[in-house]
Amino acid sequence: LNDGDTTYVHSLTSTQKDLYDFTNITLTDNDTVYGVTVMAYARKEAAGLRELTLETKSSTDEQSSSNKAVGSDYNLKWEIFETTDGTVDWTPTLVDAAQFGIKVV
């Protein structure tokens, strides 16, 4: 959640990526994962067009969302990834091993 700028990442470098590990989900491999949602609250600090993508990385497979425009006020950006690479369905094990984050466009 937006915490009033007490914690954040910042970059002006195009293609800079920040991926994060998350706490394991509490499902078993018998449970079905229909997709994962990656979200970020983002704003820009400089004039001009700024965009980001939301990212997943599962093993060597990486995915990017479409470009998301970033305004001068915080806004929630999100994307649902239904598979790990466009073809392989998520499982609890794959979700637990994956990283999620953002990339500057």
Side-chain angles (χ1 to χ4, degrees), residues 15-85:
T15 72
Q16 172 106 30
K17 191 183 302 184
D18 256 342
L19 296 174
Y20 301 93
D21 295 313
F22 285 84
T23 303
N24 290 351
I25 58 177
T26 56
L27 299 173
T28 69
D29 273 332
N30 294 326
D31 294 314
T32 301
V33 177
Y34 294 99
V36 297
T37 303
V38 180
M39 299 184 296
Y41 274 101
R43 72 176 177 97
K44 66 179 184 174
E45 295 182 338
L49 178 67
R50 297 289 186 262
E51 295 180 315
L52 61 80
T53 59
L54 300 162
E55 304 286 318
T56 70
K57 182 178 181 185
S58 179
S59 186
T60 59
D61 297 320
E62 294 190 34
Q63 291 187 94
S64 298
S65 71
S66 59
N67 292 2
K68 312 281 185 188
V70 179
S72 56
D73 292 324
Y74 278 108
N75 282 289
L76 179 63
K77 305 298 178 185
W78 60 276
E79 185 80 16
I80 297 171
F81 294 90
E82 294 180 351
T83 62
T84 64
D85 65 353

